[in-house]
Amino acid sequence: MKKSLYFTPGPAQLYPTVIKHFQKGFDLQIPSISHRGKQFSEIFADAATGLKKLLLIPDDYHIFFVGSATEAMERTIQNCVEKYSWHFVNGSFSKRFFVTAEELGKQPLSSTVDSGLGFDFKHIAIPDKTELICFTHNETSTGVMLPTKEIEKMAKHYTDMLVAVDIVSSVPYVDLDYRLLDVVFFSVQKGFGLPAGLGVMIVSPRAIEKSEKLLEKGISVGSYRGFSSLLAFANKNQTLETPPVLEMYVLGKVIKDMQRKGIEVIRKETDEKAEMLYDFFDHSDVFSAVIRDKKFRSRTVILADIQKVKGNLEKILLQKGFIVGSGYGIHKNTQIRIANFPTHSISDMKRLIKALKAV
Ligand SMILES: *Cc1c(COP(=O)(O)O)cnc(C)c1O
């Protein structure tokens, strides 16, 4: 069967070197090694320190490996909130973060806007009692990306509060000042182009302190993946449970590949590809960009309205070897979502645009 190129926003097209690294990992029998041995500790350290170098994460921050980004939301709330979290909700993933807090018995508050919108940050006042502010940097369901400057401004303004940022569909493109943030998390099946099954949390010393305070008060912060447990094992470059060792090995390798390419090159190419795609949509008679406000247009998950397309777009694109994401939820048949991740080369994007032009 002819292979397709996936422009879906997760799971996504694999990063080009992923298969080679898995093959090497099998050759080295990595799935069978003990997660208490030296070889595993090296794999853990390789991935964690590689990530810190790639994204310029401060040395005293901790890298924790969990199961998924959805799990990371739960761990974040459990470990950083006694009662009050504040959420910027503008789509399904930010909503999930909010609902997670409710489900854990907290009392979350939110600034909620309609699908496709960003926030008027200047006019939002977060109540003093708030312990944690939660942002979804790139709302994958709607194609809205929040300006990092706005997130950082908020973090600087509300210094007493912890700040969490979901960067699942914008990493490694997103360029953050981690010093201002406390929990930043992602899963690996989007921007890093790995198979799903691994979540990564970047955690500040302040967030660890908060978790310890909750524990002292007798509040549950979870069991084997409470921050103190995660930290005790991370300090030994280990995890308490048996982790997906091969996946962690490949993550470390892909991070090295990206370092070799250069994070600045990756970011520049992402901007360039996003520009090409938006430029096409803004001048097309058939497609139009869903997000009108350029300030909030995602660079990594780009949505188009397809209601003027005649025929079955999915089928037409599939015949040319492309799979794009369908619209989210109620927009399933009226929009498409196109991922613009590091795995997609400039020539891939040009070929996709050519195929869209022919529709
Ligand atoms: C995909 C996604 C998630 C969920 O990731 P999982 O790995 O499926 O848990 C969370 N937040 C955002 C913004 C996403 O795009």
Short mmCIF file of all heavy atoms in Angstrom, two decimals, residues 69-71 73-74 77 87-104 108 134 136 139 141 166 185 328:
data_model
loop_
_atom_site.label_atom_id
_atom_site.label_comp_id
_atom_site.label_asym_id
_atom_site.label_seq_id
_atom_site.Cartn_x
_atom_site.Cartn_y
_atom_site.Cartn_z
N ALA A 69 -0.59 13.60 28.18
CA ALA A 69 -0.82 14.99 28.58
C ALA A 69 -2.09 15.10 29.43
O ALA A 69 -2.17 15.90 30.35
CB ALA A 69 -0.94 15.87 27.34
N THR A 70 -3.07 14.27 29.12
CA THR A 70 -4.30 14.28 29.92
C THR A 70 -3.96 13.91 31.36
O THR A 70 -4.48 14.51 32.31
CB THR A 70 -5.32 13.28 29.33
OG1 THR A 70 -5.47 13.56 27.93
CG2 THR A 70 -6.67 13.41 30.01
N GLU A 71 -3.09 12.92 31.52
CA GLU A 71 -2.64 12.59 32.88
C GLU A 71 -1.91 13.78 33.51
O GLU A 71 -2.11 14.08 34.69
CB GLU A 71 -1.72 11.37 32.89
CG GLU A 71 -1.32 11.05 34.32
CD GLU A 71 -0.24 9.99 34.48
OE1 GLU A 71 0.02 9.24 33.54
OE2 GLU A 71 0.33 9.93 35.59
N MET A 73 -2.41 16.85 33.17
CA MET A 73 -3.38 17.82 33.69
C MET A 73 -3.80 17.42 35.10
O MET A 73 -3.85 18.24 36.02
CB MET A 73 -4.64 17.86 32.81
CG MET A 73 -4.43 18.46 31.44
SD MET A 73 -5.98 18.42 30.50
CE MET A 73 -5.35 18.80 28.86
N GLU A 74 -4.11 16.14 35.27
CA GLU A 74 -4.55 15.65 36.58
C GLU A 74 -3.44 15.80 37.61
O GLU A 74 -3.67 16.27 38.73
CB GLU A 74 -4.99 14.18 36.46
CG GLU A 74 -5.40 13.59 37.79
CD GLU A 74 -6.14 12.27 37.64
OE1 GLU A 74 -7.21 12.26 37.02
OE2 GLU A 74 -5.64 11.25 38.14
N ILE A 77 -3.05 19.53 38.67
CA ILE A 77 -4.07 19.99 39.61
C ILE A 77 -3.86 19.37 40.99
O ILE A 77 -3.85 20.07 42.02
CB ILE A 77 -5.50 19.65 39.09
CG1 ILE A 77 -5.77 20.32 37.75
CG2 ILE A 77 -6.55 20.00 40.15
CD1 ILE A 77 -5.96 21.81 37.78
N HIS A 87 -8.70 28.95 34.96
CA HIS A 87 -8.47 28.37 33.63
C HIS A 87 -8.89 29.31 32.51
O HIS A 87 -9.97 29.90 32.58
CB HIS A 87 -9.25 27.06 33.49
CG HIS A 87 -8.86 26.04 34.52
ND1 HIS A 87 -8.09 24.94 34.21
CD2 HIS A 87 -9.11 25.96 35.85
CE1 HIS A 87 -7.89 24.22 35.32
NE2 HIS A 87 -8.51 24.82 36.33
N PHE A 88 -8.04 29.41 31.50
CA PHE A 88 -8.42 30.10 30.27
C PHE A 88 -8.99 29.05 29.33
O PHE A 88 -8.25 28.21 28.81
CB PHE A 88 -7.21 30.81 29.67
CG PHE A 88 -6.83 32.04 30.44
CD1 PHE A 88 -5.87 31.98 31.44
CD2 PHE A 88 -7.47 33.25 30.19
CE1 PHE A 88 -5.54 33.12 32.18
CE2 PHE A 88 -7.15 34.39 30.92
CZ PHE A 88 -6.18 34.33 31.92
N VAL A 89 -10.31 29.08 29.15
CA VAL A 89 -11.00 28.02 28.41
C VAL A 89 -11.50 28.55 27.06
O VAL A 89 -12.31 29.48 27.01
CB VAL A 89 -12.18 27.46 29.23
CG1 VAL A 89 -12.92 26.38 28.43
CG2 VAL A 89 -11.70 26.89 30.57
N ASN A 90 -10.99 27.97 25.98
CA ASN A 90 -11.44 28.38 24.64
C ASN A 90 -11.51 27.20 23.68
O ASN A 90 -11.35 27.36 22.48
CB ASN A 90 -10.53 29.49 24.09
CG ASN A 90 -9.10 29.02 23.90
OD1 ASN A 90 -8.68 28.03 24.48
ND2 ASN A 90 -8.35 29.74 23.09
N GLY A 91 -11.76 26.02 24.23
CA GLY A 91 -11.87 24.84 23.36
C GLY A 91 -11.84 23.58 24.19
O GLY A 91 -11.87 23.62 25.43
N SER A 92 -11.78 22.45 23.52
CA SER A 92 -11.96 21.17 24.21
C SER A 92 -10.84 20.79 25.16
O SER A 92 -11.07 20.16 26.18
CB SER A 92 -12.08 20.05 23.18
OG SER A 92 -13.14 20.34 22.33
N PHE A 93 -9.59 21.16 24.82
CA PHE A 93 -8.49 20.73 25.67
C PHE A 93 -8.38 21.60 26.93
O PHE A 93 -8.16 21.09 28.03
CB PHE A 93 -7.18 20.67 24.87
CG PHE A 93 -7.21 19.59 23.84
CD1 PHE A 93 -7.42 19.88 22.50
CD2 PHE A 93 -7.08 18.25 24.21
CE1 PHE A 93 -7.48 18.87 21.55
CE2 PHE A 93 -7.15 17.23 23.27
CZ PHE A 93 -7.35 17.55 21.93
N SER A 94 -8.59 22.90 26.74
CA SER A 94 -8.59 23.78 27.92
C SER A 94 -9.77 23.44 28.83
O SER A 94 -9.69 23.52 30.05
CB SER A 94 -8.61 25.25 27.49
OG SER A 94 -9.46 25.46 26.40
N LYS A 95 -10.88 23.02 28.20
CA LYS A 95 -12.06 22.60 28.96
C LYS A 95 -11.75 21.34 29.78
O LYS A 95 -12.15 21.22 30.93
CB LYS A 95 -13.21 22.35 27.97
CG LYS A 95 -14.52 21.90 28.58
CD LYS A 95 -15.32 23.09 29.10
CE LYS A 95 -16.58 22.67 29.87
NZ LYS A 95 -17.60 22.05 29.00
N ARG A 96 -11.02 20.43 29.16
CA ARG A 96 -10.66 19.19 29.87
C ARG A 96 -9.83 19.49 31.12
O ARG A 96 -10.01 18.90 32.17
CB ARG A 96 -9.86 18.28 28.92
CG ARG A 96 -9.32 17.02 29.57
CD ARG A 96 -10.15 15.77 29.29
NE ARG A 96 -11.40 15.63 30.00
CZ ARG A 96 -11.55 15.19 31.26
NH1 ARG A 96 -10.52 14.92 32.01
NH2 ARG A 96 -12.74 15.05 31.78
N PHE A 97 -8.94 20.47 31.01
CA PHE A 97 -8.10 20.88 32.13
C PHE A 97 -9.01 21.38 33.27
O PHE A 97 -8.86 20.98 34.44
CB PHE A 97 -7.16 21.99 31.66
CG PHE A 97 -5.84 22.08 32.39
CD1 PHE A 97 -4.82 22.90 31.88
CD2 PHE A 97 -5.58 21.38 33.55
CE1 PHE A 97 -3.59 23.01 32.52
CE2 PHE A 97 -4.35 21.47 34.20
CZ PHE A 97 -3.36 22.30 33.68
N PHE A 98 -9.97 22.21 32.90
CA PHE A 98 -10.93 22.76 33.86
C PHE A 98 -11.76 21.64 34.51
O PHE A 98 -11.89 21.57 35.74
CB PHE A 98 -11.85 23.76 33.14
CG PHE A 98 -12.93 24.34 34.00
CD1 PHE A 98 -12.71 25.49 34.75
CD2 PHE A 98 -14.20 23.76 34.04
CE1 PHE A 98 -13.71 26.03 35.54
CE2 PHE A 98 -15.20 24.29 34.83
CZ PHE A 98 -14.96 25.43 35.59
N VAL A 99 -12.29 20.78 33.68
CA VAL A 99 -13.15 19.69 34.18
C VAL A 99 -12.35 18.74 35.09
O VAL A 99 -12.87 18.23 36.09
CB VAL A 99 -13.79 18.92 32.99
CG1 VAL A 99 -14.46 17.64 33.45
CG2 VAL A 99 -14.80 19.81 32.28
N THR A 100 -11.08 18.54 34.76
CA THR A 100 -10.22 17.71 35.60
C THR A 100 -10.21 18.25 37.03
O THR A 100 -10.31 17.48 37.99
CB THR A 100 -8.79 17.67 35.03
OG1 THR A 100 -8.84 17.10 33.72
CG2 THR A 100 -7.85 16.84 35.89
N ALA A 101 -10.08 19.58 37.14
CA ALA A 101 -10.06 20.19 38.47
C ALA A 101 -11.39 19.95 39.19
O ALA A 101 -11.41 19.62 40.38
CB ALA A 101 -9.77 21.69 38.35
N GLU A 102 -12.48 20.08 38.46
CA GLU A 102 -13.80 19.80 39.07
C GLU A 102 -13.88 18.36 39.53
O GLU A 102 -14.33 18.07 40.64
CB GLU A 102 -14.92 20.03 38.03
CG GLU A 102 -15.25 21.47 37.79
CD GLU A 102 -16.44 21.61 36.83
OE1 GLU A 102 -16.62 20.74 35.95
OE2 GLU A 102 -17.18 22.59 36.98
N GLU A 103 -13.44 17.46 38.67
CA GLU A 103 -13.54 16.03 38.99
C GLU A 103 -12.69 15.64 40.20
O GLU A 103 -12.98 14.66 40.88
CB GLU A 103 -13.15 15.18 37.76
CG GLU A 103 -14.21 15.23 36.67
CD GLU A 103 -13.76 14.63 35.34
OE1 GLU A 103 -12.55 14.41 35.15
OE2 GLU A 103 -14.63 14.40 34.49
N LEU A 104 -11.63 16.43 40.42
CA LEU A 104 -10.78 16.16 41.59
C LEU A 104 -11.31 16.85 42.84
O LEU A 104 -10.65 16.87 43.88
CB LEU A 104 -9.34 16.61 41.30
CG LEU A 104 -8.57 15.73 40.30
CD1 LEU A 104 -7.26 16.40 39.88
CD2 LEU A 104 -8.29 14.35 40.88
N PRO A 108 -12.58 25.10 40.52
CA PRO A 108 -11.94 25.88 39.47
C PRO A 108 -12.82 27.04 39.00
O PRO A 108 -14.05 26.95 39.01
CB PRO A 108 -11.76 24.87 38.33
CG PRO A 108 -12.83 23.86 38.55
CD PRO A 108 -13.00 23.77 40.03
N CYS A 134 -4.04 28.30 34.72
CA CYS A 134 -3.83 27.28 33.69
C CYS A 134 -4.08 27.82 32.29
O CYS A 134 -5.17 28.32 32.00
CB CYS A 134 -4.75 26.09 33.93
SG CYS A 134 -4.50 25.32 35.55
N THR A 136 -3.77 26.92 28.04
CA THR A 136 -3.53 25.97 26.96
C THR A 136 -2.93 26.79 25.84
O THR A 136 -3.64 27.57 25.19
CB THR A 136 -4.85 25.29 26.53
OG1 THR A 136 -5.40 24.64 27.68
CG2 THR A 136 -4.61 24.27 25.42
N GLU A 139 -4.68 25.78 21.45
CA GLU A 139 -5.93 25.01 21.57
C GLU A 139 -6.13 24.23 20.28
O GLU A 139 -6.59 24.76 19.27
CB GLU A 139 -7.07 25.98 21.89
CG GLU A 139 -8.42 25.37 22.16
CD GLU A 139 -8.46 24.08 22.99
OE1 GLU A 139 -8.52 24.13 24.23
OE2 GLU A 139 -8.47 23.01 22.35
N SER A 141 -8.13 22.07 19.31
CA SER A 141 -9.48 21.86 18.77
C SER A 141 -9.95 23.05 17.94
O SER A 141 -10.79 22.89 17.06
CB SER A 141 -10.47 21.59 19.91
OG SER A 141 -10.61 22.73 20.74
N ASP A 166 -0.12 24.10 29.06
CA ASP A 166 -0.21 22.94 28.18
C ASP A 166 0.41 23.35 26.85
O ASP A 166 -0.07 24.29 26.21
CB ASP A 166 -1.70 22.59 28.04
CG ASP A 166 -1.99 21.54 26.97
OD1 ASP A 166 -1.15 21.33 26.08
OD2 ASP A 166 -3.09 20.95 27.01
N PHE A 185 3.67 21.07 30.24
CA PHE A 185 3.62 19.64 29.88
C PHE A 185 3.20 19.42 28.43
O PHE A 185 2.61 20.30 27.78
CB PHE A 185 2.66 18.89 30.82
CG PHE A 185 1.24 19.39 30.78
CD1 PHE A 185 0.35 18.95 29.81
CD2 PHE A 185 0.79 20.31 31.72
CE1 PHE A 185 -0.96 19.42 29.79
CE2 PHE A 185 -0.52 20.78 31.70
CZ PHE A 185 -1.38 20.34 30.73
N TYR A 328 -12.98 19.64 14.53
CA TYR A 328 -13.19 19.05 15.86
C TYR A 328 -14.66 19.14 16.23
O TYR A 328 -15.30 20.17 16.03
CB TYR A 328 -12.34 19.81 16.88
CG TYR A 328 -12.02 18.98 18.10
CD1 TYR A 328 -10.89 18.18 18.14
CD2 TYR A 328 -12.87 19.00 19.21
CE1 TYR A 328 -10.60 17.42 19.25
CE2 TYR A 328 -12.59 18.24 20.33
CZ TYR A 328 -11.45 17.45 20.34
OH TYR A 328 -11.17 16.69 21.45
#
